[in-house]
Amino acid sequence: MRWSLRLRAILHRELGQLDLWRSRAVVLAYAVLTGLSIVWFARTTDWALAQFFSLRQAAWWSPLVWTPLSTAAIVWITRHWVPGAAGSGIPQVMAALDPQVERSQRGLYVSLKLALGKYLLASWGFLAGLSLGREGPSVQVGAGIMHNARHWLPQRGLVSEHGLLVAGGAAGIAAAFNTPLAGVMFAIEELSRRPEQRNSGLIIAAIVLAGLMGVSLQGNESYFGIIRVDEFRADLWWPALLLALACGLAGGLFSRLMIRSLGGQENDRLSRWRRAQPVAFAGACGLLIALIGVANQGITFGSGYSHSRAMLAGEAGIPAVYVLFMFLTTWLTAWSGVPGGIFAPSLAIGGALGNDIALLTGNPQVPALIALGMTGFLAAATQAPLTAFIIVMEMVNGHAMVLSLMACALVASGVSRILSRPLYGTLAGFQLQRLPGRSTAVTPPAAEAETDKKTEPAEGPGISHS
């Protein structure tokens, strides 16, 4: 009898709340739409990059004209029509999640208009052969689509705008990398810092559902396929430690360089030129990228995806200087101001660094060192070690390298923190300077979140860290 009454109470509470079920239906429907949109975005960028390589094959000199003209045009359109779409997209979503941003101001950072602009202009960046990734843009596209769900939620819906932004941004990572677990970890590690126990389950369900859309349409295959490694043997410890330190130093330098370049506060000649003539500056960056690519038989064009797969397959022909030139072209692409991310190029740089360490030390476990390099450099550049670890862990067959990947990510991220502030948190602080009345001093959202924990009640918009 007692169980019957309890079951009746549960059914009454669940089935009697139409607003609750309407909220769930709307959020999950938008999660499906977000996942499908990110998959379509991925296919569009793949097609665009293939067209660029076809053009280059027909005329080797074409990038010297097409890439700088396209870069300048993309920046001009971005600045005139969708200024909030410039750059990665992750700092914009983090800025929109800032508690001091009013509801009416979130459109500066996330909206359907910005999502469409990001989709088109980032795809054009691939068509131009720029060294960028689609994962950062996928975060902003996903957040913009999911944020639109607020118009269809009941007035007293259980999902806040903050929760929708977290779900959309993390869904972008989940669908882009075909790894739902990485999306959940990205939400916890980078986007959400304020707990909301009531709807964390629904937010996680939305992230996973968007990731499953990618799995269902692209197959159950990770971003770079399966990295097949042997057991982690003792002779790998010293090369792995050397690689973790090298990734930490290189990733920290990359993060510091990005912050100084994109902060807009430097007063050197190039920074003044960038502020005074951003379109001409972008064209010059495009020309440098084209020159580097042409001089290296095109290996630095695009995200580095195909060359990373070639290294994992053991194919020869990737020069040791690939790390340096990919580092430079990725930085120049970001500095130009075009919409585009750094996740995929960071994986390519880290994988090449691991390949170089394998050649330097003569260690035969090349795929293992490539996997460790991918984890280390991405963790150091983004200072999101758990997300980097999970993204690469999903690529490795079996569980032989789980602990070593995690250790590499933590060591590299720790070294990076000595050299640089957190990249995305600092860039989000720069984004917040656009708001009227904000101080010119930059306080990364991570620091603001620590203050919030001391001054605000535990319940608020976000996702549970427990």
Side-chain angles (χ1 to χ4, degrees):
M1 185 68 179
R2 184 182 303 173
W3 286 104
S4 176
L5 291 175
R6 186 173 297 177
L7 178 61
R8 188 177 303 172
I10 292 173
L11 291 174
H12 176 74
R13 184 175 70 247
E14 290 292 321
L15 300 179
Q17 298 185 36
L18 293 179
D19 284 353
L20 172 65
W21 286 96
R22 182 180 168 187
S23 296
R24 289 172 176 170
V26 168
V27 170
L28 295 180
Y30 266 85
V32 171
L33 178 61
T34 300
L36 294 174
S37 300
I38 299 306
V39 171
W40 185 256
F41 179 40
R43 293 184 175 181
T44 302
T45 55
D46 289 342
W47 174 87
L49 188 58
Q51 300 310 303
F52 169 80
F53 281 119
S54 296
L55 175 63
R56 178 183 170 273
Q57 190 173 10
W60 67 267
W61 49 265
S62 57
L64 298 175
V65 178
W66 170 244
T67 300
L69 288 178
S70 292
T71 308
I74 291 169
V75 169
W76 186 88
I77 293 172
T78 300
R79 293 180 61 85
H80 282 79
W81 298 101
V82 280
S88 164
I90 295 175
Q92 288 92 322
V93 176
M94 293 177 69
L97 290 167
D98 188 276
Q100 299 184 46
V101 175
E102 300 177 6
R103 176 179 296 184
S104 60
Q105 297 173 323
R106 288 199 177 107
L108 292 171
Y109 306 117
V110 289
S111 67
L112 284 181
K113 177 185 176 182
L114 288 177
L116 179 60
K118 197 82 166 188
Y119 168 86
L120 295 174
L121 294 171
S123 299
W124 191 356
F126 278 89
L127 188 62
L130 298 176
S131 302
L132 45 79
R134 60 173 179 254
E135 296 73 30
S138 295
V139 171
Q140 192 175 14
V141 170
I145 294 173
M146 189 65 80
H147 188 240
N148 187 257
R150 73 193 189 282
H151 296 302
W152 302 95
L153 289 172
Q155 266 190 331
R156 304 185 61 145
L158 297 181
V159 183
S160 64
E161 288 189 36
H162 189 284
L164 291 173
L165 289 170
V166 169
I173 288 290
F177 279 110
N178 224 16
T179 52
L181 182 59
V184 175
M185 183 53 65
F186 180 75
I188 295 171
E189 190 173 35
E190 282 294 305
L191 297 182
S192 177
R193 298 181 177 87
R194 301 172 64 194
E196 183 176 10
Q197 301 289 348
R198 295 174 303 169
N199 62 14
S200 60
L202 181 57
I203 292 172
I204 291 175
I207 297 168
V208 172
L209 184 57
L212 290 177
M213 290 299 100
V215 172
S216 63
L217 293 176
Q218 303 181 101
N220 191 21
E221 184 178 353
S222 63
Y223 191 73
F224 287 111
I226 298 298
I227 303 176
R228 304 193 180 278
V229 300
D230 300 324
E231 293 294 325
F232 192 91
R233 299 194 301 265
D235 63 342
L236 196 59
W237 280 110
W238 285 112
L241 179 59
L242 176 63
L243 178 59
L245 295 175
C247 285
L249 290 171
L253 175 62
F254 181 78
S255 175
R256 187 179 183 90
L257 193 59
M258 290 278 288
I259 290 171
R260 290 181 66 90
S261 302
L262 302 178
Q265 299 173 342
E266 301 300 317
N267 202 34
D268 58 273
R269 182 178 299 178
L270 289 176
S271 297
R272 291 197 301 270
W273 182 29
R274 184 177 187 264
R275 287 192 295 267
Q277 297 178 301
V279 176
F281 180 85
C285 288
L287 180 58
L288 286 175
I289 293 166
L291 287 170
I292 293 172
V294 169
N296 289 277
Q297 289 76 49
I299 61 173
T300 57
F301 289 128
S303 63
Y305 174 84
S306 60
H307 301 296
S308 296
R309 295 204 72 152
M311 281 188 293
L312 288 169
E315 298 177 12
I318 306 299
V321 292
Y322 174 73
V323 172
L324 174 62
F325 289 126
M326 195 66 189
F327 185 104
L328 289 174
T329 55
T330 303
W331 166 56
L332 287 170
T333 298
W335 201 13
S336 71
V338 301
I342 65 165
F343 264 63
S346 293
L347 288 172
I349 294 168
L353 192 54
N355 187 62
D356 289 350
I357 294 292
L359 294 176
L360 179 66
T361 59
N363 194 288
Q365 299 189 67
V366 179
L369 288 170
I370 290 175
L372 289 170
M374 287 180 174
T375 306
F377 189 86
L378 182 60
T382 63
Q383 293 187 17
L386 296 181
T387 301
F389 151 68
I390 289 175
I391 287 173
V392 180
M393 181 190 71
E394 293 280 346
M395 304 178 198
V396 178
N397 66 310
H399 303 284
M401 291 190 62
V402 169
L403 293 179
S404 55
L405 288 172
M406 184 181 296
C408 182
L410 292 174
V411 169
S413 179
V415 173
S416 174
R417 290 175 189 275
I418 298 174
L419 301 176
S420 172
R421 291 174 288 169
L423 175 61
Y424 290 131
T426 306
L427 294 183
F430 295 147
Q431 290 284 334
L432 291 170
Q433 292 181 35
R434 296 172 54 194
L435 294 177
R438 286 296 294 249
S439 169
T440 56
V442 176
T443 302
E448 293 179 357
E450 293 300 321
T451 304
D452 292 341
K453 290 179 184 177
K454 300 176 184 178
T455 59
E456 296 189 7
E459 188 177 346
I463 187 171
S464 174
H465 289 262
S466 60

